[in-house]
Amino acid sequence: MPPETAPDDDESALLSRIDDLRIASIRPLMPAACLIEELADASVVETIRGARGALSAITRGTDQRLAVVIGPAAAHDPAAVLEFARRLVPVQQRLGGELLLVVRVFLDEPGGGAGRWSGAMYDPGLDGSFQLNRGFRQARQLLVDIARLGLPAGCLYLDSISPQFIADLVSWSAVGASTAASALHRELASGLSTPVGFQGGATSADAAVDAVRSAASGHAFLSVSKQGVAGIVQTTGNRDGHLVLPAASAAEAEEAACGALAALGLPARAMVDCGYGAGCTTPQEQAAAAAA
């Protein structure tokens, strides 16, 4: 006769038929606090604090310099990104009275998934192996190295957990056009310690305007602490939100969008994305877009 199955085993077998049916695996993720302790440098604190303050002043119009977020579209090659940043150092030194350069370090890919690369943080091996622990370590090391050069960094966020691993090293944050309407991203932005740029769509900036409004208020949402514990995050709101408008539609959208923000008592400032859309694919076209 077959051995009798314990009641607990029967219950587990039953539950296994209805739970996690489409989950292939769940692997451990290191707590952000451990990585922060491993890759920290007190010497970069003033660089980051100063850049955040300057970017906030630019957003609010009390600093007349232009903030320029510049860098590769994806940080798949950390050595190349760092070399790019090194070449920006003398430029910042020469033009610092007029510009504040921010190194673009986009570690997530908004179009990732479904067979497409998900970004340097999610898939550092570029092979679909999704070694996130390695990706977070690689991303944090790159941000530390850039800050040691005396330059601020800007990052795009796609979820509410990955910022715990890198946000202390970031001076400017971005929320993409595809997620500007997301309640989760607006809640996240309301608690970030940096100015946040919400990207407007190719045909409308309405979602980005509403995102700036929403992020300026406090929120409560679920996330994970730096110690890896699930919790309820309560924020105070972020009044350093601003628009990022595609160059092709910036001239038409800026007046109405900034007017809507001014009516709400929020900073009516916009950044123009000179590297997005038709007519902005070459350095010459990007320079022309910036001049316009």
Side-chain angles (χ1 to χ4, degrees):
M1 296 180 61
E4 293 186 5
T5 304
D8 287 347
D9 292 339
D10 288 340
E11 184 176 353
S12 297
L14 182 62
L15 288 174
S16 69
R17 299 173 191 168
I18 59 173
D19 189 37
D20 290 343
L21 295 181
R22 294 180 175 86
I23 304 300
S25 67
I26 298 178
R27 292 174 287 161
L29 181 67
M30 77 174 82
C34 296
L35 187 58
I36 292 170
E37 183 177 357
E38 176 187 334
L39 292 173
D41 187 341
S43 70
V44 306
V45 170
E46 288 307 315
T47 292
I48 295 166
R49 181 183 294 153
R52 289 177 177 177
L55 287 163
S56 175
I58 291 171
T59 298
R60 295 167 187 249
T62 57
D63 186 329
Q64 297 306 309
R65 291 181 294 172
L66 287 178
V68 180
V69 181
I70 183 170
H76 61 282
D77 184 343
V81 176
L82 187 58
E83 175 59 25
F84 182 90
R86 287 195 185 100
R87 297 186 183 198
L88 288 181
V89 173
V91 180
Q92 178 62 58
Q93 292 171 343
R94 187 172 74 253
L95 301 176
E98 302 172 52
L99 308 176
L100 175 58
L101 302 183
V102 179
V103 184
R104 170 175 159 150
V105 188
F106 281 15
L107 300 157
D108 298 331
E109 282 295 307
R116 297 180 179 179
W117 186 55
S118 297
M121 207 151 51
Y122 282 81
D123 189 14
L126 286 79
D127 56 4
S129 59
F130 299 105
Q131 300 175 53
L132 270 75
N133 288 312
R134 173 188 161 194
F136 284 132
R137 179 175 283 107
Q138 179 176 286
R140 189 167 178 84
Q141 183 65 67
L142 175 59
L143 292 170
V144 167
D145 290 341
I146 290 172
R148 285 171 176 162
L149 296 174
L151 293 173
C155 290
L156 174 79
Y157 293 132
L158 290 183
D159 65 76
S160 63
I161 296 177
S162 60
Q164 296 286 37
F165 291 81
I166 61 170
D168 60 311
L169 298 170
V170 175
S171 297
W172 180 82
S173 306
V175 173
S178 61
T179 49
S182 160
L184 176 64
H185 291 81
R186 296 176 179 192
E187 291 164 350
L188 170 66
S190 75
L192 291 175
S193 301
T194 66
V196 182
F198 291 92
Q199 294 183 323
T203 58
S204 173
D206 290 351
V209 170
D210 197 51
V212 174
R213 176 201 60 78
S214 177
S217 300
H219 291 269
F221 60 96
L222 301 178
S223 190
V224 176
S225 72
K226 288 180 173 62
Q227 289 71 32
V229 178
I232 304 166
V233 179
Q234 191 98 29
T235 70
T236 58
N238 186 346
R239 296 186 67 81
D240 284 328
H242 54 277
L243 304 173
V244 180
L245 302 176
S249 59
E252 297 79 11
E254 184 177 5
E255 184 175 354
C258 289
L261 290 177
L264 294 169
L266 295 169
R269 306 282 282 182
M271 181 179 287
V272 177
D273 187 348
C274 300
Y276 173 82
C280 291
T281 57
T282 69
Q284 294 77 19
E285 290 173 336
Q286 291 165 2

